[in-house]
Amino acid sequence: MCCAMQGLQSRAVGLLALALVAGPATAADFEVKEITIPELKAVFGQIESRTVVPARARIGGTVTEILVDEGREVRDGEVIARVVDDKIALELSAAEARIRALESQLDNASTELERAQQLLGRGVTTQSRVDQAQTTFDVITNQIAAAIADRSVIEQRSREGDVLAPATGRVLSVPVTQGSVVLPGEPIARIATGRYFLRLSLPERHAAAIVEGDEVMIGRRGLAANQSGRLAAATPGRIVKVYPEIADGRVIADVDVADIGDYFVGERTLVSIPIGRRRVLAVPAAAVVTRHGVDYVALRAEKGIAEVAVILGERFEGEDGPMVEILTGLEAGDRIILP
Protein backbone atom coordinates (compact mmCIF):
# COMPACT_ATOMS: atom_id res chain seq x y z
CA MET A 1 0.00 0.00 0.00
CA CYS A 2 2.85 2.34 0.87
CA CYS A 3 4.54 1.71 -2.48
CA ALA A 4 1.25 2.23 -4.29
CA MET A 5 0.68 5.57 -2.53
CA GLN A 6 4.22 6.65 -3.35
CA GLY A 7 3.63 5.68 -6.95
CA LEU A 8 0.44 7.72 -7.13
CA GLN A 9 2.17 10.66 -5.49
CA SER A 10 5.08 10.47 -7.91
CA ARG A 11 2.64 10.25 -10.80
CA ALA A 12 0.66 13.23 -9.54
CA VAL A 13 3.75 15.30 -8.88
CA GLY A 14 5.05 14.49 -12.32
CA LEU A 15 1.81 15.46 -13.99
CA LEU A 16 1.34 18.63 -11.99
CA ALA A 17 4.90 19.84 -11.84
CA LEU A 18 5.63 19.59 -15.55
CA ALA A 19 3.84 21.73 -18.07
CA LEU A 20 1.73 20.09 -20.73
CA VAL A 21 2.91 20.39 -24.29
CA ALA A 22 -0.09 21.13 -26.45
CA GLY A 23 -0.54 19.72 -29.93
CA PRO A 24 -0.46 16.30 -31.55
CA ALA A 25 2.53 14.00 -31.17
CA THR A 26 4.84 13.40 -34.08
CA ALA A 27 6.43 10.19 -32.67
CA ALA A 28 5.01 6.69 -32.25
CA ASP A 29 3.00 5.67 -29.22
CA PHE A 30 3.76 2.70 -26.97
CA GLU A 31 1.07 1.21 -24.77
CA VAL A 32 2.28 0.24 -21.33
CA LYS A 33 1.26 -3.30 -20.40
CA GLU A 34 2.32 -6.05 -18.09
CA ILE A 35 4.79 -8.59 -19.45
CA THR A 36 6.34 -11.70 -17.94
CA ILE A 37 10.09 -11.77 -17.47
CA PRO A 38 12.39 -14.31 -15.84
CA GLU A 39 13.53 -13.59 -12.32
CA LEU A 40 17.30 -13.96 -12.27
CA LYS A 41 19.58 -14.80 -9.41
CA ALA A 42 23.28 -13.92 -9.43
CA VAL A 43 25.39 -16.88 -8.33
CA PHE A 44 28.97 -18.01 -8.77
CA GLY A 45 29.79 -20.90 -11.08
CA GLN A 46 33.03 -22.85 -11.23
CA ILE A 47 34.85 -23.75 -14.43
CA GLU A 48 35.32 -27.51 -14.81
CA SER A 49 36.80 -29.77 -17.48
CA ARG A 50 34.83 -32.59 -19.06
CA THR A 51 37.60 -35.03 -18.20
CA VAL A 52 40.80 -34.87 -16.15
CA VAL A 53 43.21 -37.72 -16.88
CA PRO A 54 46.51 -38.46 -15.14
CA ALA A 55 49.76 -39.04 -17.01
CA ARG A 56 51.26 -41.98 -15.13
CA ALA A 57 54.76 -43.41 -14.88
CA ARG A 58 54.98 -46.78 -16.62
CA ILE A 59 58.08 -47.89 -14.71
CA GLY A 60 59.47 -47.19 -11.27
CA GLY A 61 62.57 -45.11 -10.88
CA THR A 62 63.86 -41.57 -10.50
CA VAL A 63 62.37 -38.59 -12.33
CA THR A 64 65.35 -37.16 -14.21
CA GLU A 65 63.54 -34.59 -16.36
CA ILE A 66 60.21 -32.73 -16.34
CA LEU A 67 59.37 -31.10 -19.66
CA VAL A 68 56.06 -29.34 -18.81
CA ASP A 69 54.65 -27.11 -16.12
CA GLU A 70 51.19 -26.01 -14.98
CA GLY A 71 49.09 -24.36 -17.67
CA ARG A 72 51.05 -25.81 -20.59
CA GLU A 73 49.12 -27.12 -23.59
CA VAL A 74 50.22 -30.67 -24.53
CA ARG A 75 49.42 -32.98 -27.42
CA ASP A 76 48.45 -36.63 -27.28
CA GLY A 77 51.61 -38.77 -27.03
CA GLU A 78 53.94 -35.87 -26.21
CA VAL A 79 56.78 -36.65 -23.80
CA ILE A 80 56.18 -34.69 -20.59
CA ALA A 81 58.74 -36.29 -18.26
CA ARG A 82 61.40 -39.00 -18.09
CA VAL A 83 61.84 -41.68 -15.45
CA VAL A 84 65.10 -43.64 -15.27
CA ASP A 85 65.68 -46.94 -13.46
CA ASP A 86 69.44 -47.53 -13.03
CA LYS A 87 68.88 -51.28 -12.83
CA ILE A 88 67.65 -51.34 -16.42
CA ALA A 89 71.10 -50.38 -17.73
CA LEU A 90 72.67 -53.21 -15.72
CA GLU A 91 70.07 -55.69 -16.96
CA LEU A 92 70.70 -54.56 -20.52
CA SER A 93 74.45 -55.07 -20.12
CA ALA A 94 73.84 -58.54 -18.70
CA ALA A 95 71.56 -59.39 -21.63
CA GLU A 96 74.18 -58.22 -24.11
CA ALA A 97 76.87 -60.31 -22.40
CA ARG A 98 74.64 -63.39 -22.44
CA ILE A 99 73.96 -62.95 -26.16
CA ARG A 100 77.71 -62.65 -26.89
CA ALA A 101 78.39 -65.81 -24.87
CA LEU A 102 75.68 -67.72 -26.72
CA GLU A 103 76.98 -66.50 -30.06
CA SER A 104 80.42 -67.91 -29.15
CA GLN A 105 78.81 -71.23 -28.23
CA LEU A 106 76.88 -71.14 -31.51
CA ASP A 107 80.13 -70.72 -33.49
CA ASN A 108 81.61 -73.72 -31.68
CA ALA A 109 78.45 -75.80 -32.23
CA SER A 110 78.42 -74.86 -35.91
CA THR A 111 82.05 -75.99 -36.24
CA GLU A 112 81.31 -79.28 -34.46
CA LEU A 113 78.30 -79.87 -36.72
CA GLU A 114 80.34 -79.28 -39.88
CA ARG A 115 83.11 -81.59 -38.64
CA ALA A 116 80.62 -84.34 -37.77
CA GLN A 117 79.01 -84.09 -41.19
CA GLN A 118 82.42 -84.34 -42.90
CA LEU A 119 83.40 -87.38 -40.83
CA LEU A 120 80.05 -88.98 -41.58
CA GLY A 121 80.69 -88.51 -45.31
CA ARG A 122 84.01 -90.33 -44.95
CA GLY A 123 82.37 -93.10 -42.96
CA VAL A 124 84.48 -92.38 -39.87
CA THR A 125 81.67 -91.43 -37.46
CA THR A 126 78.08 -92.41 -36.86
CA GLN A 127 74.79 -90.66 -37.63
CA SER A 128 74.00 -90.34 -33.93
CA ARG A 129 77.00 -88.04 -33.45
CA VAL A 130 75.80 -85.86 -36.29
CA ASP A 131 72.31 -85.75 -34.80
CA GLN A 132 73.74 -84.80 -31.41
CA ALA A 133 75.76 -81.95 -32.94
CA GLN A 134 72.69 -80.77 -34.85
CA THR A 135 70.62 -80.77 -31.67
CA THR A 136 73.27 -78.76 -29.82
CA PHE A 137 73.37 -76.25 -32.67
CA ASP A 138 69.55 -75.87 -32.68
CA VAL A 139 69.37 -75.46 -28.88
CA ILE A 140 71.98 -72.70 -28.86
CA THR A 141 70.24 -70.99 -31.79
CA ASN A 142 66.96 -70.95 -29.87
CA GLN A 143 68.71 -69.71 -26.72
CA ILE A 144 70.11 -66.79 -28.72
CA ALA A 145 66.61 -65.97 -30.01
CA ALA A 146 65.28 -66.03 -26.44
CA ALA A 147 68.12 -63.83 -25.21
CA ILE A 148 67.48 -61.32 -27.99
CA ALA A 149 63.79 -61.25 -27.03
CA ASP A 150 64.75 -60.66 -23.38
CA ARG A 151 66.98 -57.81 -24.50
CA SER A 152 64.08 -56.31 -26.48
CA VAL A 153 61.90 -56.44 -23.37
CA ILE A 154 64.56 -54.59 -21.37
CA GLU A 155 64.98 -52.01 -24.14
CA GLN A 156 61.19 -51.51 -24.20
CA ARG A 157 61.21 -50.99 -20.44
CA SER A 158 63.89 -48.35 -20.85
CA ARG A 159 61.77 -46.59 -23.51
CA GLU A 160 58.77 -46.70 -21.17
CA GLY A 161 60.65 -44.33 -18.92
CA ASP A 162 59.26 -41.57 -21.17
CA VAL A 163 56.02 -40.37 -19.58
CA LEU A 164 53.56 -39.60 -22.39
CA ALA A 165 50.54 -37.29 -22.37
CA PRO A 166 47.45 -39.55 -22.55
CA ALA A 167 45.39 -36.93 -24.43
CA THR A 168 45.50 -33.41 -25.81
CA GLY A 169 44.74 -30.77 -23.19
CA ARG A 170 46.12 -28.41 -20.56
CA VAL A 171 48.34 -29.45 -17.67
CA LEU A 172 46.59 -28.73 -14.38
CA SER A 173 49.23 -29.87 -11.92
CA VAL A 174 52.60 -31.61 -11.73
CA PRO A 175 52.76 -33.23 -8.27
CA VAL A 176 56.38 -34.45 -8.58
CA THR A 177 59.72 -32.70 -8.87
CA GLN A 178 62.96 -33.58 -10.59
CA GLY A 179 64.78 -36.18 -8.54
CA SER A 180 61.62 -37.68 -7.06
CA VAL A 181 61.39 -41.46 -6.80
CA VAL A 182 58.16 -42.82 -8.27
CA LEU A 183 56.51 -46.22 -8.52
CA PRO A 184 54.86 -47.73 -11.60
CA GLY A 185 51.41 -46.19 -12.12
CA GLU A 186 52.12 -43.10 -10.03
CA PRO A 187 50.71 -39.88 -11.59
CA ILE A 188 53.29 -37.46 -12.92
CA ALA A 189 50.84 -34.80 -14.18
CA ARG A 190 47.07 -34.15 -14.35
CA ILE A 191 45.76 -33.04 -17.74
CA ALA A 192 42.37 -31.43 -18.44
CA THR A 193 40.99 -32.64 -21.74
CA GLY A 194 37.86 -31.82 -23.72
CA ARG A 195 35.72 -28.69 -23.55
CA TYR A 196 35.28 -26.67 -20.40
CA PHE A 197 31.87 -26.22 -18.82
CA LEU A 198 30.41 -24.31 -15.91
CA ARG A 199 29.16 -26.06 -12.77
CA LEU A 200 26.63 -24.30 -10.56
CA SER A 201 25.77 -25.09 -6.95
CA LEU A 202 22.43 -23.58 -5.91
CA PRO A 203 20.32 -23.73 -2.73
CA GLU A 204 17.78 -26.54 -2.81
CA ARG A 205 14.87 -24.07 -2.64
CA HIS A 206 15.63 -23.30 -6.30
CA ALA A 207 15.72 -26.97 -7.36
CA ALA A 208 12.18 -26.96 -8.80
CA ALA A 209 12.85 -23.76 -10.79
CA ILE A 210 15.99 -25.00 -12.56
CA VAL A 211 15.08 -26.54 -15.92
CA GLU A 212 17.34 -28.09 -18.53
CA GLY A 213 17.48 -25.88 -21.61
CA ASP A 214 17.08 -22.57 -19.74
CA GLU A 215 19.43 -19.82 -20.86
CA VAL A 216 21.86 -18.23 -18.39
CA MET A 217 24.29 -15.34 -18.71
CA ILE A 218 27.95 -15.87 -17.82
CA GLY A 219 30.06 -12.88 -16.94
CA ARG A 220 33.51 -12.33 -18.29
CA ARG A 221 36.50 -12.78 -16.06
CA GLY A 222 36.36 -10.34 -13.15
CA LEU A 223 32.98 -8.97 -14.28
CA ALA A 224 30.61 -7.70 -11.62
CA ALA A 225 26.90 -7.00 -11.75
CA ASN A 226 25.60 -3.53 -12.52
CA GLN A 227 23.19 -1.52 -10.39
CA SER A 228 20.16 -3.44 -11.68
CA GLY A 229 21.72 -6.75 -10.64
CA ARG A 230 22.22 -7.91 -14.23
CA LEU A 231 25.60 -8.54 -15.80
CA ALA A 232 26.71 -5.51 -17.78
CA ALA A 233 28.18 -7.71 -20.52
CA ALA A 234 28.01 -11.45 -20.60
CA THR A 235 28.12 -14.61 -22.70
CA PRO A 236 24.96 -16.70 -23.03
CA GLY A 237 24.98 -20.32 -21.96
CA ARG A 238 22.44 -23.11 -21.57
CA ILE A 239 21.72 -25.53 -18.74
CA VAL A 240 22.46 -29.00 -20.11
CA LYS A 241 22.18 -31.13 -16.97
CA VAL A 242 20.50 -30.88 -13.58
CA TYR A 243 21.72 -33.57 -11.19
CA PRO A 244 18.90 -35.44 -9.41
CA GLU A 245 20.70 -35.59 -6.07
CA ILE A 246 20.79 -32.79 -3.50
CA ALA A 247 23.90 -32.84 -1.31
CA ASP A 248 24.43 -30.58 1.70
CA GLY A 249 21.35 -28.58 0.75
CA ARG A 250 22.68 -27.75 -2.73
CA VAL A 251 21.51 -28.76 -6.18
CA ILE A 252 24.15 -29.10 -8.92
CA ALA A 253 23.67 -28.01 -12.54
CA ASP A 254 26.00 -27.96 -15.53
CA VAL A 255 26.02 -25.13 -18.08
CA ASP A 256 27.38 -25.47 -21.59
CA VAL A 257 28.97 -22.36 -23.12
CA ALA A 258 29.94 -22.15 -26.79
CA ASP A 259 32.93 -19.84 -26.21
CA ILE A 260 33.84 -19.91 -22.56
CA GLY A 261 37.13 -18.07 -23.03
CA ASP A 262 40.50 -18.61 -21.39
CA TYR A 263 39.36 -19.40 -17.87
CA PHE A 264 41.38 -21.60 -15.55
CA VAL A 265 39.90 -24.87 -14.35
CA GLY A 266 38.47 -24.19 -10.91
CA GLU A 267 38.10 -20.45 -11.53
CA ARG A 268 34.80 -18.91 -10.43
CA THR A 269 32.71 -16.41 -12.36
CA LEU A 270 29.42 -14.62 -11.88
CA VAL A 271 26.34 -16.19 -13.48
CA SER A 272 22.73 -14.97 -13.78
CA ILE A 273 20.36 -17.93 -13.71
CA PRO A 274 16.52 -17.88 -13.97
CA ILE A 275 14.83 -19.10 -10.79
CA GLY A 276 11.25 -18.00 -11.58
CA ARG A 277 9.07 -15.59 -13.56
CA ARG A 278 7.25 -12.41 -12.62
CA ARG A 279 5.00 -9.84 -14.29
CA VAL A 280 6.20 -6.24 -14.57
CA LEU A 281 5.40 -2.98 -16.35
CA ALA A 282 8.11 -2.18 -18.86
CA VAL A 283 8.79 0.40 -21.56
CA PRO A 284 11.50 0.66 -24.20
CA ALA A 285 14.73 1.98 -22.73
CA ALA A 286 14.87 4.65 -25.44
CA ALA A 287 11.68 6.22 -24.05
CA VAL A 288 13.39 7.19 -20.77
CA VAL A 289 15.09 10.56 -20.49
CA THR A 290 17.28 11.46 -17.50
CA ARG A 291 17.69 15.04 -16.37
CA HIS A 292 19.41 16.10 -13.16
CA GLY A 293 19.33 12.55 -11.88
CA VAL A 294 15.58 12.10 -12.41
CA ASP A 295 14.11 9.74 -15.04
CA TYR A 296 11.16 10.90 -17.18
CA VAL A 297 8.95 9.45 -19.89
CA ALA A 298 6.69 11.39 -22.24
CA LEU A 299 3.06 10.42 -21.52
CA ARG A 300 0.19 11.16 -23.90
CA ALA A 301 -2.49 12.99 -21.89
CA GLU A 302 -5.94 14.33 -22.76
CA LYS A 303 -4.66 17.86 -23.36
CA GLY A 304 -1.35 17.00 -24.96
CA ILE A 305 1.92 15.42 -23.85
CA ALA A 306 3.22 15.42 -20.29
CA GLU A 307 6.53 14.30 -18.87
CA VAL A 308 6.13 11.93 -15.91
CA ALA A 309 8.82 11.14 -13.37
CA VAL A 310 9.34 7.39 -13.02
CA ILE A 311 11.41 5.05 -10.91
CA LEU A 312 13.23 2.43 -12.93
CA GLY A 313 13.90 -1.18 -12.10
CA GLU A 314 15.63 -3.93 -13.99
CA ARG A 315 16.83 -3.62 -17.57
CA PHE A 316 16.47 -6.58 -19.93
CA GLU A 317 16.25 -7.53 -23.59
CA GLY A 318 12.66 -7.81 -24.81
CA GLU A 319 10.87 -8.47 -28.08
CA ASP A 320 10.95 -4.74 -28.89
CA GLY A 321 14.63 -4.36 -28.03
CA PRO A 322 16.16 -3.08 -24.77
CA MET A 323 13.44 -2.67 -22.15
CA VAL A 324 13.39 -1.21 -18.66
CA GLU A 325 11.07 -2.06 -15.78
CA ILE A 326 8.92 0.75 -14.37
CA LEU A 327 8.43 0.49 -10.62
CA THR A 328 6.32 3.63 -10.10
CA GLY A 329 4.96 6.44 -12.26
CA LEU A 330 2.98 4.55 -14.89
CA GLU A 331 -0.04 2.26 -15.07
CA ALA A 332 -1.11 -0.44 -17.47
CA GLY A 333 -2.84 1.14 -20.45
CA ASP A 334 -0.86 4.39 -20.40
CA ARG A 335 0.44 5.49 -23.78
CA ILE A 336 3.93 6.93 -23.89
CA ILE A 337 5.68 8.71 -26.71
CA LEU A 338 8.72 7.05 -28.26
CA PRO A 339 11.41 9.29 -29.68
Side-chain angles (χ1 to χ4, degrees):
M1 181 65 72
C2 179
C3 293
M5 292 298 296
Q6 291 178 354
L8 292 175
Q9 291 175 0
S10 299
R11 179 181 175 85
V13 170
L15 289 172
L16 294 176
L18 298 173
L20 293 176
V21 180
T26 59
D29 289 358
F30 178 86
E31 182 179 354
V32 180
K33 56 185 178 182
E34 285 189 346
I35 61 174
T36 302
I37 65 171
E39 184 176 358
L40 300 182
K41 178 179 179 63
V43 298
F44 278 99
Q46 186 167 330
I47 304 298
E48 299 285 351
S49 176
R50 292 292 178 192
T51 54
V52 178
V53 294
R56 299 183 183 275
R58 295 179 288 177
I59 64 172
T62 304
V63 179
T64 60
E65 191 175 7
I66 298 177
L67 304 176
V68 297
D69 54 6
E70 290 80 355
R72 161 83 180 277
E73 293 285 344
V74 295
R75 306 291 298 176
D76 185 12
E78 180 180 347
V79 179
I80 63 175
R82 288 189 172 89
V83 178
V84 174
D85 185 357
D86 295 334
K87 296 188 298 296
I88 293 179
L90 300 177
E91 292 175 358
L92 187 60
S93 298
E96 293 284 358
R98 184 185 177 196
I99 291 174
R100 289 194 297 269
L102 289 173
E103 288 176 345
S104 298
Q105 294 179 17
L106 182 63
D107 292 339
N108 186 33
S110 177
T111 302
E112 288 293 333
L113 178 60
E114 291 177 0
R115 183 181 296 114
Q117 290 174 344
Q118 291 174 0
L119 292 176
L120 180 64
R122 297 174 186 175
V124 178
T125 187
T126 61
Q127 182 65 39
S128 61
R129 182 180 176 184
V130 174
D131 293 341
Q132 183 179 2
Q134 182 67 48
T135 301
T136 302
F137 179 84
D138 293 339
V139 169
I140 297 175
T141 300
N142 292 330
Q143 288 178 346
I144 291 177
I148 292 175
D150 290 340
R151 183 183 63 182
S152 298
V153 171
I154 298 172
E155 291 174 346
Q156 178 61 30
R157 285 176 55 198
S158 67
R159 287 192 294 269
E160 288 179 352
D162 291 343
V163 182
L164 307 179
T168 300
R170 180 182 293 180
V171 178
L172 297 183
S173 64
V174 182
V176 298
T177 59
Q178 187 171 343
S180 300
V181 177
V182 296
L183 299 175
E186 188 170 341
I188 303 300
R190 294 173 58 248
I191 301 174
T193 64
R195 291 179 55 188
Y196 291 169
F197 69 96
L198 197 63
R199 175 156 291 172
L200 306 179
S201 178
L202 303 170
E204 62 178 306
R205 64 177 180 273
H206 301 312
I210 302 174
V211 180
E212 290 186 8
D214 281 352
E215 186 178 83
V216 301
M217 301 303 294
I218 298 96
R220 296 172 187 166
R221 178 179 293 173
L223 190 66
N226 55 23
Q227 294 180 353
S228 65
R230 291 290 185 103
L231 298 179
T235 302
R238 193 165 300 277
I239 298 176
V240 294
K241 181 185 290 187
V242 179
Y243 290 84
E245 182 181 10
I246 295 178
D248 298 328
R250 314 288 292 185
V251 59
I252 306 299
D254 290 345
V255 176
D256 186 41
V257 188
D259 185 12
I260 202 167
D262 57 348
Y263 287 96
F264 291 105
V265 174
E267 185 175 353
R268 300 202 307 164
T269 185
L270 196 62
V271 181
S272 289
I273 181 170
I275 59 172
R277 306 186 72 85
R278 59 191 178 94
R279 296 187 63 81
V280 299
L281 293 177
V283 300
V288 180
V289 178
T290 302
R291 288 195 296 270
H292 306 293
V294 181
D295 299 312
Y296 299 94
V297 296
L299 177 67
R300 185 176 296 281
E302 296 179 358
K303 298 181 180 181
I305 301 174
E307 284 190 330
V308 180
V310 294
I311 298 179
L312 306 182
E314 186 176 345
R315 295 179 181 268
F316 58 93
E317 193 70 23
E319 297 179 356
D320 300 321
M323 304 287 288
V324 59
E325 179 185 2
I326 302 297
L327 299 179
T328 61
L330 295 178
E331 296 177 350
D334 287 346
R335 304 189 68 84
I336 63 172
I337 309 301
L338 297 179

